[in-house]
Structure formats: structure tokens, C-alpha cells
Amino acid sequence: GDVDQDKDVTILDATAIQRHLASLPTTAYNEKAADADEDSKVTILDVTAIQRHLASLPTNNNIGKPIA
């Protein structure tokens, strides 16, 4: 979830994924962290998972935890 590696999951992480998917430049982008739903691919569903996390809705419980 912490796509920009600033040690916090925010809407900026979701925006970084959207920019990456649209082939727009991003300042920092961690591919492994971008796979927020842990399905081995980065899609718009990862953006949705981060948004759900930020809204305290059910989603992947690993969002916001360190990557193993």
C-alpha cells in the first residue's frame, strides 16, 4: 500500500498507481507495494483496495504493514 515509500498509506499512494497505469511519470513507485490486493498484478483494483483501507472499509488486512 505504501507505493511512494513515505512510510504512510495515503491517497497519494492510490494516485501513484493510477499515474503508473496511465503511463504518466511518478516520483516514487514500489511495484510490490502497489499490489495492494496481493493478486500478483497491479490494476485499478489495487487503487480501490487502498481507498477502502483509507475509508476504514473491509479490504486486505495487510495494507499498511511492512512488506515481507
Side-chain angles (χ1 to χ4, degrees):
D2 184 16
V3 178
D4 62 10
Q5 300 177 329
D6 68 352
K7 308 224 184 314
D8 197 18
V9 178
T10 68
I11 196 65
L12 296 177
D13 296 298
T15 301
I17 296 171
Q18 290 173 316
R19 291 181 65 83
H20 176 77
L21 292 174
S23 299
L24 296 172
T26 57
T27 55
Y29 183 80
N30 180 298
E31 186 84 16
K32 190 167 183 179
D35 184 17
D37 63 6
E38 298 181 320
D39 68 351
S40 299
K41 54 190 179 240
V42 178
T43 68
I44 198 67
L45 296 178
D46 297 298
V47 174
T48 302
I50 291 172
Q51 291 170 330
R52 291 180 62 84
H53 170 77
L54 294 173
S56 299
L57 296 171
T59 191
N60 181 347
N61 291 331
N62 289 328
I63 294 176
K65 294 181 182 174
I67 298 174

